[in-house]
């Protein structure tokens, strides 16, 4: 006997009214895509939930993949047997014994197929007795069990499940449209990307790169972070913007204490152009209120002036420690803390304005024409498509 099914519950999505159908179909596609390396495994929908039919694959590696799919509330390994008392007994015992450190259990039978001759209450007793007889040092405790063996007798078959494993929650990636993630090599932006994905957002990314001040290694780091994010969703297109010339021009032509603010505004302007090209309707950043000079209220107000696209800032109110915890959990932390040169850290002015004013920035910007350098940066964008299977799938230079 072996677990042959994984039961998938999708909680929050069941509240989504008339969108529900589209959400469920997307979830099913996302799951099928995530487990495509297990060729025999199939995803099936039934009333209010889904199953993965393992068709001979080991359950654990499939389960690991499913734990990274947004939209899944919880998961359980399950066994499907005929509606036959002996088979149900055998499968219940298997499900109980598969779990370690169980001292107290309970059996919960739900009889949906009313033509099954034994009623739920009686089944609870029969199965409870069977499990007690065939195990040692285990008691029944209906109030505080370590494990609940759930038996669902349906028309087509009986399903037996035991432990419930939490899923990632959230909404299936792709159900909330696309956002362009401003991805640096730091700790914050990958976490911001993960949290946007959690709400069903599909990501593309943009990275501002300033060779030779920032190295190939810094660029590789951002590609690696993108690949880590694909673990939770789909392939990610990342647009790498050659930023050196524009950045040098800003630092040469603008007052030093405003250069940082103007550089950020340029990032948003260029990002918005990429959005237009790619039919993306929002930006996502790792900004966090009060963390550094560029993230004061005044600074955000001034930087934000150049775009009216919605900006998703999932980290805006978080403490650094909370961000680090998520980053460790999702597997980006180790990469993020590798030493690297960010275009923003290379050109840090000695004393950036912590309260930059819109009027002043607009005045300074009006004294110099940056448009040629902006166009040059945009025309030089390299787009790389990252999948979770390979390092780099394809790289091209023809976005604009
Ligand atoms: P992170 O840890 O994400 O680098 P941070 O705390 O270092 O963030 P900043 O350097 O002020 O903060 O950057 C704020 C946000 O601006 C980043 O989270 C990211 O979304 C964006 N950003 C900064 N530098 C770059 C870059 N080189 N390319 C793309 N986006 C960037
Ligand atoms: Mg940074």
């Amino acid at each position: 006997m072996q677990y042959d099914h994984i039961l998938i519950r999708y909680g929050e999505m069941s509240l989504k009214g008339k969108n529900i159908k589209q959400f469920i179909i997307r979830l099913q596609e996302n799951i099928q895509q995530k487990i495509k390396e297990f060729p025999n495994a199939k995803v099936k929908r039934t009333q209010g939930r889904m199953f993965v039919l393992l068709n001979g694959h080991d359950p654990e590696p499939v389960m690991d993949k499913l734990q990274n799919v947004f939209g899944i509330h919880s998961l359980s390994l399950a066994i499907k047997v005929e509606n036959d008392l002996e088979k149900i007994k055998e499968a219940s015992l298997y499900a109980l014994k598969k779990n370690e450190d169980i001292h107290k259990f309970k059996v919960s039978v739900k009889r949906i197929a009313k033509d099954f001759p034994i009623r739920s209450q009686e089944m609870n007793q029969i199965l409870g007795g069977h499990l007690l007889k065939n195990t040692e040092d285990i008691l029944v405790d209906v109030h505080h069990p370590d494990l609940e063996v759930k038996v669902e007798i349906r028309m087509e078959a009986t399903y037996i499940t035991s432990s419930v494993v939490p899923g990632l929650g959230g909404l299936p990636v792709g159900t909330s449209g696309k956002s362009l993630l401003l991805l640096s090599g730091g700790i914050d932006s990958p976490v911001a990307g993960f949290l946007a994905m959690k709400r069903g957002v599909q990501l593309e990314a943009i990275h501002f790169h300033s060779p030779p001040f920032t190295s190939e290694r810094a660029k590789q780091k951002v590609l690696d972070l993108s690949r880590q994010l694909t673990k939770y969703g789909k392939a990610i297109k990342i647009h790498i913007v050659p930023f050196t010339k524009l950045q040098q021009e800003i630092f040469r032509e603008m007052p030093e204490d405003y250069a940082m603010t103007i550089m950020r505004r340029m990032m948003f302007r260029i990002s918005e152009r990429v959005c237009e090209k790619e039919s993306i309707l929002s930006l996502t950043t790792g900004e966090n209120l009060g963390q550094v000079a560029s993230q004061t209220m005044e600074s955000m107000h001034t930087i934000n002036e150049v775009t009216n696209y919605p900006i998703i800032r999932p980290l805006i109110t978080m403490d650094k420690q909370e961000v680090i915890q998520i980053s460790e959990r999702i597997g980006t932390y180790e990469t993020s803390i590798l030493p690297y040169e960010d275009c923003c850290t290379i050109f840090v002015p000695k004393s950036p304005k912590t309260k930059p004013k819109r009027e002043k920035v607009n005045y300074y910007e009006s004294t110099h024409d940056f448009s040629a350098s902006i166009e040059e940066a945009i025309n030089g964008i390299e787009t790389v498509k990252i999948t979770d299977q390979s390092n780099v799938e394809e790289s091209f230079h023809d976005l604009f």
Side-chain angles (χ1 to χ4, degrees):
M1 180 147 298
Q2 148 103 318
Y3 282 120
D4 52 10
H5 278 59
I6 299 174
L7 169 62
I8 297 168
R9 304 178 195 83
Y10 43 75
E12 176 178 8
M13 280 176 39
S14 46
L15 304 173
K16 278 270 163 187
K18 63 178 194 289
N19 288 335
I20 183 72
K21 183 97 185 156
Q22 173 212 335
F23 278 66
I24 291 173
I25 289 169
R26 182 58 72 115
L27 179 61
Q28 185 178 12
E29 281 169 10
N30 291 357
I31 293 172
Q32 193 74 65
Q33 169 72 16
K34 267 295 157 227
I35 60 173
K36 65 174 189 287
E37 69 194 75
F38 307 97
N40 302 330
K42 294 278 170 291
V43 192
K44 294 266 180 263
R45 282 184 270 143
T46 61
Q47 198 59 37
R49 49 170 77 161
M50 281 180 213
F51 284 104
V52 173
L53 310 182
L54 290 165
N55 289 322
H57 290 293
D58 263 355
E60 278 77 19
V62 180
M63 196 75 165
D64 288 346
K65 292 273 176 194
L66 296 179
Q67 283 186 273
N68 294 328
V69 177
F70 286 118
I72 296 181
H73 180 72
S74 70
L75 298 149
S76 295
L77 291 170
I79 314 168
K80 180 181 177 184
V81 294
E82 289 162 43
N83 292 354
D84 169 89
L85 181 58
E86 288 312 311
K87 298 229 162 80
I88 296 173
K89 278 179 166 175
E90 189 191 351
S92 307
L93 185 60
Y94 171 84
L96 177 66
K97 284 191 162 173
K98 262 300 211 191
N99 291 275
E100 282 158 23
D101 277 337
I102 304 299
H103 305 290
K104 301 174 288 179
F105 75 95
K106 102 185 224 192
V107 180
S108 308
V109 176
K110 209 161 143 190
R111 188 181 59 137
I112 293 157
K114 294 298 173 205
D115 62 347
F116 188 78
I118 310 169
R119 301 172 70 121
S120 306
Q121 204 40 46
E122 195 183 337
M123 276 299 279
N124 281 337
Q125 283 161 10
I126 295 173
L127 294 178
H130 181 70
L131 300 185
L132 284 172
K133 203 165 73 197
N134 289 283
T135 50
E136 278 162 28
D137 299 330
I138 296 192
L139 303 171
V140 173
D141 184 335
V142 292
H143 299 297
H144 304 287
D146 302 324
L147 187 79
E148 182 174 358
V149 178
K150 290 192 184 169
V151 177
E152 226 176 83
I153 305 169
R154 291 177 165 248
M155 296 306 284
E156 73 284 8
T158 297
Y159 296 92
I160 292 109
T161 59
S162 52
S163 37
V164 177
V165 180
L168 275 186
L171 301 173
V173 170
T175 54
S176 302
K178 274 205 260 178
S179 188
L180 183 66
L181 170 67
L182 280 78
L183 185 63
S184 68
I187 294 172
D188 299 338
S189 39
V191 172
F194 171 84
L195 292 172
M197 286 164 98
K198 181 171 187 200
R199 296 314 299 168
V201 170
Q202 186 180 334
L203 295 180
E204 289 193 18
I206 187 168
H207 177 66
F208 296 85
H209 179 51
S210 299
F213 305 103
T214 60
S215 62
E216 265 313 292
R217 193 185 51 170
K219 173 176 150 187
Q220 186 56 45
K221 197 178 166 187
V222 172
L223 298 179
D224 290 344
L225 289 167
S226 302
R227 188 168 48 259
Q228 285 153 5
L229 288 177
T230 63
K231 187 168 146 194
Y232 306 99
K234 301 170 183 302
I236 293 179
K237 261 200 222 172
I238 168 157
H239 307 279
I240 301 179
V241 185
F243 203 42
T244 318
K245 188 162 170 236
L246 180 56
Q247 211 173 3
Q248 283 177 316
E249 200 169 314
I250 296 168
F251 279 80
R252 193 176 59 236
E253 302 292 340
M254 299 287 105
E256 190 184 303
D257 57 350
Y258 267 87
M260 169 91 113
T261 305
I262 293 168
M263 186 182 79
R264 296 275 181 201
R265 285 162 62 105
M266 294 299 177
M267 284 188 179
F268 278 176
R269 288 184 175 113
I270 293 172
S271 298
E272 195 179 294
R273 293 279 295 277
V274 171
C275 286
E276 282 164 12
K277 196 80 185 176
E278 295 287 271
S279 310
I280 298 174
L281 301 183
S282 74
L283 305 174
T284 298
T285 75
E287 286 166 296
N288 176 271
L289 191 54
Q291 209 183 71
V292 288
S294 64
Q295 300 177 30
T296 61
M297 193 71 83
E298 292 78 1
S299 177
M300 281 196 290
H301 178 253
T302 301
I303 294 168
N304 217 146
E305 187 186 15
V306 301
T307 179
N308 61 12
Y309 273 52
I311 302 181
I312 304 176
R313 297 183 172 95
L315 313 189
I316 197 70
T317 62
M318 284 190 190
D319 291 345
K320 191 72 186 182
Q321 207 47 42
E322 298 176 65
V323 178
I324 289 175
Q325 272 170 17
I326 301 175
S327 131
E328 287 173 336
R329 213 179 60 214
I330 66 175
T332 53
Y333 184 72
E334 293 302 321
T335 307
S336 288
I337 59 171
L338 292 173
Y340 81 116
E341 324 79 26
D342 183 26
C343 67
C344 307
T345 46
I346 297 266
F347 291 91
V348 188
K350 281 184 241 30
S351 53
K353 266 265 177 283
T354 53
K355 298 185 174 182
K357 302 274 182 304
R358 284 186 175 188
E359 312 77 72
K360 282 206 166 165
V361 176
N362 283 317
Y363 168 71
Y364 294 138
E365 284 183 352
S366 73
T367 64
H368 183 82
D369 184 6
F370 287 103
S371 55
S373 298
I374 293 177
E375 292 313 309
E376 202 178 312
I378 287 174
N379 287 318
I381 288 179
E382 177 195 4
T383 301
V384 182
K385 191 173 172 192
I386 310 258
T387 65
D388 56 355
Q389 311 297 323
S390 63
N391 248 354
V392 169
E393 195 176 71
E394 33 182 325
S395 162
F396 45 97
H397 271 94
D398 55 358
L399 186 69
F400 287 87

